[in-house]
Amino acid sequence: MRTLAAITSAVALTLSLAACSGTAAGAGSGGGRPLVVVTTNILGDVVAELAGDRAEVLTLMPPGSDPHSFEVSASEGAQLREAALVVANGLGLEEGLERHVESAAADGVEVFEAGDHLEVIAYADGTEAAGVADPHFWTDPARMTDVVEVLGAHLAELDGLDDTARAEVQANTTAYLDEIAALDADMTEAFAAIPPERRALVTNHHVFGYLADRFGFRVVGAVVPGGTTLAAPSASDLRELVAAIDEAGVPTIFAESSQPDRLVQVLADEADRDVAVVELVTESLTAPGEGAATYLTMMRLNTERIATGLSP
């Protein structure tokens, strides 16, 4: 008959082995996933939808940030160099992050830049950035479709994925493309109800070039005349914009949630007439529970507000 000490020792050994087994199982199911580092939270949401739980997705840009000016810590920059894949917007959008992405690429990390996989348009004449590639492609769901098709294929080929995982990523991609197609159809219907003469957009800065190109809008102007929020308008810029607004008869000015709307409010006052100022979510997703925590909800929210703001 075993002594109490022997029984206690046996139980302890059994529990220890079970604990080790559980730890190993956890590491295999979680720690073995490939790391995908994404620069912007809009693309971070898309990557998470496509990858599901088959990859660890690290999004660098916090909700509500400005993609032109946000920066990362040294430790976050180091994680770029440890990634199986880095996903970036490109086209000059992530101005504070470019050196980190370039450093990761120089170290041999695969970098997927969305701007390399779509038909790029340039900022319109009359802006300080005229002729420069516009990075805000996501405002057109058709361009986002082009990106998702190629991005999904890249994610499905990540090292470390087995056939089951690859098939799951491919199925996620197909399902997400269907959701973008539904979004595209809803946007087309909503904007078709706006009379052509009222399809004119004024925003904090030039972010709607792709939406305008796709859905027949005119970009009357922007408070910030360049393609980046790091620029600032002069008094003459504001006067010219007021004249353009008066000529176009714009009833609503749209302010982006990633920036203060003080300049837009000043512009509305300068126009000396009743101009509504409506907030849009354009360059950054919101935190969960704030109405635009995903790409699809952001686009639907903006569509509803633009359609309401410009309808007779």
Side-chain angles (χ1 to χ4, degrees):
M1 183 174 181
R2 291 191 294 174
T3 66
L4 178 60
I7 294 173
T8 302
S9 177
V11 170
L13 178 61
T14 301
L15 291 174
S16 176
L17 291 173
C20 291
S21 175
T23 301
S29 61
R33 298 179 301 165
L35 172 64
V36 181
V37 178
V38 192
T39 57
T40 72
N41 52 45
I42 292 174
L43 285 175
D45 171 62
V46 173
V47 171
E49 289 288 341
L50 305 186
D53 60 2
R54 295 300 186 172
E56 179 185 352
V57 180
L58 171 63
T59 300
L60 298 177
M61 179 181 163
S65 300
D66 184 335
H68 298 277
S69 59
F70 91 99
E71 298 183 356
V72 296
S73 66
S75 60
E76 289 172 323
Q79 286 180 296
L80 283 162
R81 296 189 292 276
E82 299 170 0
L85 178 68
V86 171
V87 178
N89 189 94
L91 301 175
L93 182 75
E94 304 101 322
E95 298 172 63
L97 206 60
E98 286 181 353
R99 63 186 178 88
H100 294 288
V101 174
E102 291 170 357
S103 177
D107 285 352
V109 176
E110 182 182 4
V111 176
F112 176 96
E113 289 204 354
D116 294 337
H117 304 283
L118 59 101
E119 182 183 351
V120 177
I121 65 174
Y123 287 110
D125 293 340
T127 72
E128 290 184 358
V132 176
D134 184 344
H136 307 97
F137 70 88
W138 61 85
T139 62
D140 174 9
R143 257 87 171 194
M144 182 60 91
T145 294
D146 293 339
V147 171
V148 168
E149 288 176 343
V150 185
L151 178 56
H154 271 69
L155 292 170
E157 294 302 318
L158 286 173
D159 290 341
L161 298 185
D162 59 20
D163 289 344
T164 299
R166 296 185 198 284
E168 185 175 317
V169 173
Q170 291 167 348
N172 291 345
T173 301
T174 298
Y176 195 69
L177 286 170
D178 289 341
E179 292 193 68
I180 298 178
L183 168 69
D184 191 302
D186 290 342
M187 291 178 67
T188 300
E189 181 180 1
F191 293 150
I194 304 172
E197 66 273 10
R198 295 177 70 93
R199 293 182 202 169
L201 295 170
V202 180
T203 60
N204 289 57
H205 83 286
H206 291 281
V207 71
F208 284 115
Y210 287 93
L211 183 146
D213 179 67
R214 176 70 193 291
F215 297 106
F217 282 81
R218 292 171 294 129
V219 179
V220 174
V223 178
V224 178
T228 169
T229 55
L230 303 182
S234 65
S236 62
D237 289 328
L238 289 175
R239 285 194 298 270
E240 290 176 6
L241 187 51
V242 168
I245 289 171
D246 288 338
E247 182 179 349
V250 176
T252 303
I253 296 171
F254 298 101
E256 299 166 65
S257 62
S258 63
Q259 305 175 54
D261 68 351
R262 181 180 60 83
L263 286 175
V264 177
Q265 294 286 1
V266 169
L267 181 59
D269 294 339
E270 286 286 332
D272 194 26
R273 58 182 174 77
D274 185 19
V275 179
V277 178
V278 174
E279 183 181 67
L280 299 181
V281 183
T282 57
E283 292 198 305
S284 174
L285 302 180
T286 66
E290 295 181 3
T294 71
Y295 169 69
L296 296 173
T297 57
M298 177 189 76
M299 293 296 290
R300 291 186 182 282
L301 177 69
N302 290 339
T303 297
E304 189 275 330
R305 290 183 177 177
I306 291 171
T308 300
L310 298 180
S311 295

